Amino acid sequence: MKNNFKLHPNRRKFLNLCFILFFLVSIVTFSQETKKDTTRINQLDTVLISAIRIDTKTPVTFTNLTKKEFKTRNLGQDIPILMNYLPSVVTTSDAGNGIGYTGIRVRGSDATRVNITINGIPYNDSESQGTYWVNMPDFASSLESVQLQRGVGSSTNGSGAFGASLNMLTDNYSKTSSGEISNSGGSFNSRKNTVKFSTGLMNTETGSAQSFEIAGRLSVLKSDGYIDRASSDLKSYFLQGTFVGKTTLIKALAFGGKEKTYQSWNGIDATTLESNRTFNSAGMFTDQFGNIRFYDNETDNYQQDHYQLHWNEKILNKWNTNLAFHYTKGKGYFENYIEDAAFTDYGLLPVGVEVSTDLIRQKWLDNDFYGTTFSTNYKEEKLNLVIGGAYNKYEGAHFGNVIWARFASQSELGDRYYDDFATKTDGNLFVKANFQLSEKVSLYGDLQIRNVHYKVNSLETGVVNDNFNFFNPKAGFNYDINSKNTIYFSFARANREPNRDDYTNGNPKPEQLNDFELGWRLTSEKAKLNVTAYYMKYKNQLVLTGALNEVGAPLRENVGDSYRLGLELDANIYLSNKWLLRPNIALSNNKNQDFYFQKDGNLINYGNTNIAFSPNIVVGNCVTFAPSENLQFSVLSKFVGKQFMGNIDSANSELPSYFVNDLNISYEIQPKSVFKSVLFSVLVNNLFNTKYVSNGYYYTYDDTWTNPGSTITLDGAGYYPQAGINFLAGITMKF
């Protein structure tokens, strides 16, 4: 896609101001270093982590995943696939092999309800609330660590967390210079090529208190995909400059990606699933001679560029501050061949007796997201206090072009058949604290106020000018039974606004969640164990209906009262210095209460029904055997119980359970010259060639053609099959 990167004057001023501030702060820091504390900052986490992350002193359920833990599997698959084996996590891939469009659900909540941040900056799309990992291919190669907080979690920036919060921290600075070349390839003509570099901290030899580092990454990924024509052509970059002073850390980051993927969101029906699992109907049309053909550019094209500026400062011995500015530019389109399109749907006049035409259309997005986040942290022996907030604004243009038509009517080059603009502002303030009441008891409190204003006027949504004010309190305690055992309890409330598609489907209400969590943590030399019981009580929850819109996005509706009740267990068990087990299991009961549904012309109360896409059991395990320090074998297993793709427990909407296993082998050597290390990795996905489906959709319709004069509701389902046994292999050389 051609990158027509053009900034609005106000946004250009904002971006310029951010980088001017970076250099001004650097100058001020140079001139004032001698007046400050001599403690040296070692990493970005020291300040930022206090605002967005939690530890075992906080009564919240979480899992950490470090660079070391996923480096042997980072061979091209997206971040959700790398996280597949975490507790309560279910992942899926449109292309069937984890490259391209991928999705994640946590505790049955879809990706629009998982709050994603990068260095504390919101990443979820402001309007759809979704997370499109395909826009940041190979981002895992620039991550230091991720933390998944299940449930409401602690206060964070961006949209409210209704299933989980996932916060990602990018690479720390390096003290020494380094380089890295990583290449991998495998099934479905998949390949990834990555280069990284770091200058290391400069000026350290002279004894200077100030140092700089410049680091970066370039990546190219391509894959044909498991599904027919579900190809991906992905490119990404990451660049950061770091200034380190005695008490100051400043980072300027630029990263982004460009993707072109052949569409594969249509899925297939049950009959095709049995006869031709890889069939893809996207782009299919019948030419003038009656031949079935596929349009070769039925593609999704998007570029997204991110800019972040972080200033972290240590003040005295107890205070830390963090101030960040950010700007994200996104622009792109998807293209479709449409058969027999009605002229009126595209603002065209009939041509003679013709009332429809074949055409090719493009639907565009052109959006800007910018703002600031800030926090200050006060930490002493008994008190850890964080005060912070954010203010962000989104501006998004939606428009469509017809680039070719068999009968062009009165259309002119560049005409738009729809053109609308949306704005959304999102501001929050929060204060949270951990207080050590006694040797065994610590208290936790977290208060957040959030204001959201969404404004749009389009044919799809109608006129929307909604303003929401949310108050989200959280509280809990930790009790240390002894040095190895801790129990905790927390209560958290979350409120959340509807997304754009919710307005398209009707008049949605904001939703509310009360989350109760009771947990036990065990830490010993041989094992780490976490057990959590949770009860998530919803009001007006926007649950997935099972249906999709025309671009493959899932639709939702308010369901009144509903709940999720569950038990999660995850452990690290050290059998010896060579064997490690990491099992996890999640058991849950997910119900709509007094659920009403229109069927056969009548509104029927179905009573308590299962919430769509919410399996009652999810099990994961990782068995690792390391016969030597450099050689490692891991078998990763995942079982997902059956789930319904709709909310009326229809047999036709059932998605069968599945059990898959992956094998990961890695071997690392440290040559005496040229390279610091050479890592060989092999990943065999779906080791036993299981035929399974990880996602799908469910729809109902009134059969008025064959039953005139009566209303009979029929239903059906679509499926997204995943690849059988396949492999990726790679080599990473560090120098």
Side-chain angles (χ1 to χ4, degrees):
M1 181 187 73
K2 185 179 180 180
N3 181 18
N4 296 319
F5 188 87
K6 186 176 181 180
L7 290 176
H8 185 281
N10 290 337
R11 293 191 285 272
R12 185 186 299 276
K13 292 177 182 177
F14 174 85
L15 190 58
N16 289 339
L17 180 62
C18 292
F19 283 95
I20 290 172
L21 180 62
F22 169 73
F23 291 109
L24 287 178
V25 171
S26 301
I27 294 171
V28 172
T29 303
F30 269 105
S31 65
Q32 296 185 354
E33 283 296 336
T34 56
K35 302 178 183 179
K36 295 180 180 178
D37 188 277
T38 58
T39 303
R40 191 170 182 83
I41 297 173
N42 292 319
Q43 51 183 324
L44 177 62
D45 291 13
T46 55
V47 180
L48 186 60
I49 198 172
S50 63
I52 65 173
R53 290 214 167 161
I54 56 175
D55 56 25
T56 55
K57 286 295 184 180
T58 306
V60 173
T61 307
F62 69 95
T63 303
N64 291 327
L65 189 64
T66 65
K67 178 191 292 288
K68 182 180 179 180
E69 291 175 284
F70 58 72
K71 72 174 183 178
T72 62
R73 294 187 291 120
N74 183 25
L75 301 173
Q77 294 176 308
D78 250 338
I79 290 174
I81 308 302
L82 297 178
M83 297 175 56
N84 184 49
Y85 299 95
L86 297 186
S88 288
V89 168
V90 177
T91 63
T92 188
S93 166
D94 282 7
N97 66 327
I99 300 175
Y101 273 92
T102 58
I104 186 172
R105 297 192 181 101
V106 184
R107 289 186 178 177
S109 295
D110 68 278
T112 65
R113 313 161 76 72
V114 178
N115 177 288
I116 312 291
T117 57
I118 301 173
N119 299 329
I121 305 299
Y123 180 63
N124 298 68
D125 179 77
S126 292
E127 283 198 279
S128 71
Q129 299 173 0
T131 304
Y132 304 102
W133 302 99
V134 72
N135 297 332
M136 294 195 306
D138 199 31
F139 195 62
S141 292
S142 294
L143 286 181
E144 191 68 32
S145 63
V146 300
Q147 183 179 80
L148 181 68
Q149 300 175 15
R150 300 189 294 279
V152 172
S154 63
S155 286
T156 189
N157 300 315
S159 56
F162 262 55
S165 296
L166 176 63
N167 55 70
M168 301 181 285
L169 289 178
T170 55
D171 282 339
N172 292 332
Y173 64 81
S174 174
K175 294 182 179 180
T176 59
S177 61
S178 63
E180 181 178 315
I181 301 173
S182 178
N183 296 288
S184 61
S187 301
F188 317 116
N189 202 25
S190 302
R191 61 269 196 201
K192 177 177 82 77
N193 307 103
T194 301
V195 293
K196 294 182 64 176
F197 76 92
S198 170
T199 62
L201 290 178
M202 297 177 281
N203 290 345
T204 55
E205 299 84 356
T206 63
S208 172
Q210 303 90 22
S211 301
F212 291 93
E213 184 228 24
I214 299 174
R217 171 185 57 83
L218 291 173
S219 300
V220 176
L221 292 85
K222 293 187 178 183
S223 176
D224 292 342
Y226 167 67
I227 302 300
D228 295 344
R229 303 182 313 286
S231 60
S232 299
D233 185 355
L234 316 174
K235 301 176 179 66
S236 70
Y237 67 94
F238 181 90
L239 181 66
Q240 70 175 11
T242 305
F243 166 78
V244 182
K246 289 181 179 179
T247 61
T248 303
L249 176 64
I250 300 175
K251 276 196 171 187
L253 300 96
F255 58 90
K258 182 178 181 180
E259 63 92 4
K260 181 174 183 176
T261 54
Y262 197 96
Q263 295 165 22
S264 54
W265 58 57
N266 289 355
I268 54 178
D269 60 25
T271 301
T272 308
L273 181 65
E274 293 297 322
S275 62
N276 187 4
R277 290 174 58 84
T278 64
F279 179 74
N280 182 9
S281 63
M284 187 170 66
F285 69 96
T286 304
D287 66 18
Q288 289 181 300
F289 304 101
N291 300 313
I292 299 296
R293 296 173 56 186
F294 293 92
Y295 180 52
D296 61 3
N297 201 37
E298 192 89 355
T299 56
D300 184 77
N301 306 263
Y302 200 77
Q303 178 159 341
Q304 193 173 76
D305 299 286
H306 301 255
Y307 306 91
Q308 296 183 1
L309 175 64
H310 297 270
W311 175 18
N312 302 324
E313 189 75 32
K314 183 169 184 177
I315 305 173
L316 303 176
N317 289 322
K318 297 180 180 180
W319 288 93
N320 293 314
T321 62
N322 176 69
L323 175 64
F325 297 94
H326 67 89
Y327 172 71
T328 300
K329 175 66 181 181
K331 188 172 184 179
Y333 65 93
F334 67 85
E335 187 168 311
N336 301 110
Y337 188 105
I338 306 295
E339 286 189 284
D340 297 323
F343 283 115
T344 54
D345 291 343
Y346 294 87
L348 302 176
L349 299 174
V351 177
V353 298
E354 301 289 345
V355 296
S356 64
T357 180
D358 295 348
L359 56 81
I360 299 172
R361 70 178 184 186
Q362 291 180 346
K363 301 189 76 171
W364 280 82
L365 294 175
D366 186 355
N367 46 60
D368 303 273
F369 179 62
Y370 52 96
T372 180
T373 66
F374 51 88
S375 65
T376 183
N377 175 220
Y378 174 78
K379 190 173 184 179
E380 60 173 10
E381 184 179 356
K382 290 188 176 183
L383 177 64
N384 187 0
L385 173 69
V386 180
I387 301 172
Y391 182 80
N392 304 302
K393 187 171 185 179
Y394 167 89
E395 298 173 334
H398 303 250
F399 58 91
N401 297 328
V402 175
I403 63 171
W404 172 86
R406 191 174 301 280
F407 304 108
S409 185
Q410 85 282 10
S411 63
E412 295 288 346
L413 183 65
D415 283 354
R416 296 180 177 182
Y417 65 91
Y418 72 92
D419 193 354
D420 65 74
F421 192 80
T423 60
K424 184 176 182 179
T425 57
D426 185 344
N428 77 86
L429 293 171
F430 67 85
V431 55
K432 54 185 176 182
N434 281 79
F435 179 70
Q436 194 69 39
L437 185 64
S438 66
E439 184 179 352
K440 292 183 176 292
V441 179
S442 63
L443 303 179
Y444 170 73
D446 186 335
L447 302 175
Q448 182 198 55
I449 56 173
R450 180 169 175 250
N451 173 261
V452 178
H453 184 206
Y454 180 53
K455 186 176 181 181
V456 65
N457 181 8
S458 79
L459 294 176
E460 295 175 332
T461 63
V463 178
V464 178
N465 189 7
D466 275 352
N467 190 73
F468 302 97
N469 290 297
F470 298 133
F471 175 57
N472 302 314
K474 307 170 185 69
F477 69 87
N478 271 17
Y479 177 69
D480 296 328
I481 300 173
N482 52 43
S483 60
K484 296 181 179 180
N485 293 274
T486 300
I487 60 173
Y488 66 86
F489 173 80
S490 67
F491 163 78
R493 172 170 290 178
N495 294 274
R496 187 178 176 89
E497 74 279 9
N499 68 20
R500 181 185 176 94
D501 289 335
D502 298 329
Y503 285 103
T504 300
N505 297 328
N507 186 25
K509 301 175 183 178
E511 44 187 343
Q512 186 177 93
L513 165 62
N514 291 320
D515 181 20
F516 302 85
E517 308 261 341
L518 176 64
W520 167 42
R521 294 186 178 110
L522 166 67
T523 303
S524 69
E525 293 181 358
K526 294 294 185 181
K528 293 181 180 180
L529 175 67
N530 302 288
V531 180
T532 305
Y534 64 87
Y535 177 61
M536 303 171 72
K537 177 66 174 175
Y538 297 87
K539 182 69 175 178
N540 294 321
Q541 183 181 184
L542 284 160
V543 303
L544 298 176
T545 66
L548 306 178
N549 66 13
E550 65 170 0
V551 297
L555 302 181
R556 311 185 304 181
E557 65 181 6
N558 291 116
V559 294
D561 293 331
S562 57
Y563 68 85
R564 302 182 188 273
L565 176 66
L567 179 69
E568 297 169 333
L569 181 151
D570 66 282
N572 288 0
I573 303 172
Y574 304 93
L575 299 179
S576 69
N577 61 349
K578 295 183 179 181
W579 286 93
L580 170 64
L581 301 182
R582 302 187 65 180
N584 63 77
I585 182 170
L587 305 173
S588 63
N589 192 20
N590 312 276
K591 297 292 184 181
N592 302 302
Q593 297 176 276
D594 294 324
F595 183 74
Y596 284 84
F597 187 77
Q598 186 84 24
K599 183 176 182 180
D600 298 338
N602 300 305
L603 189 62
I604 301 174
N605 184 352
Y606 279 78
N608 291 355
T609 66
N610 290 286
I611 299 177
F613 297 99
S614 301
N616 291 338
I617 179 170
V618 178
V619 181
N621 189 29
C622 177
V623 180
T624 299
F625 172 58
S628 67
E629 184 179 350
N630 296 333
L631 180 62
Q632 179 176 292
F633 299 85
S634 295
V635 176
L636 302 101
S637 305
K638 191 75 174 187
F639 174 81
V640 178
K642 76 172 184 179
Q643 51 192 302
F644 291 97
M645 298 183 288
N647 293 285
I648 59 174
D649 295 348
S650 168
N652 288 340
S653 72
E654 185 176 312
L655 197 63
S657 62
Y658 58 89
F659 180 49
V660 293
N661 297 269
D662 299 344
L663 173 64
N664 185 207
I665 305 172
S666 64
Y667 180 66
E668 187 172 13
I669 59 175
Q670 286 86 32
K672 295 182 179 180
S673 61
V674 184
F675 297 106
K676 295 179 181 177
S677 75
V678 179
L679 175 67
F680 300 91
S681 300
V682 176
L683 178 64
V684 183
N685 299 296
N686 197 355
L687 183 63
F688 301 113
N689 201 30
T690 302
K691 290 186 177 181
Y692 74 104
V693 176
S694 61
N695 193 22
Y697 54 88
Y698 171 72
Y699 55 90
T700 62
Y701 60 96
D702 292 335
D703 183 22
T704 57
W705 291 98
T706 59
N707 297 279
S710 63
T711 301
I712 297 178
T713 302
L714 301 179
D715 60 2
Y719 304 93
Y720 296 95
Q722 303 299 288
I725 185 171
N726 64 95
F727 79 96
L728 292 166
I731 179 173
T732 298
M733 298 171 287
K734 296 183 178 180
F735 52 90

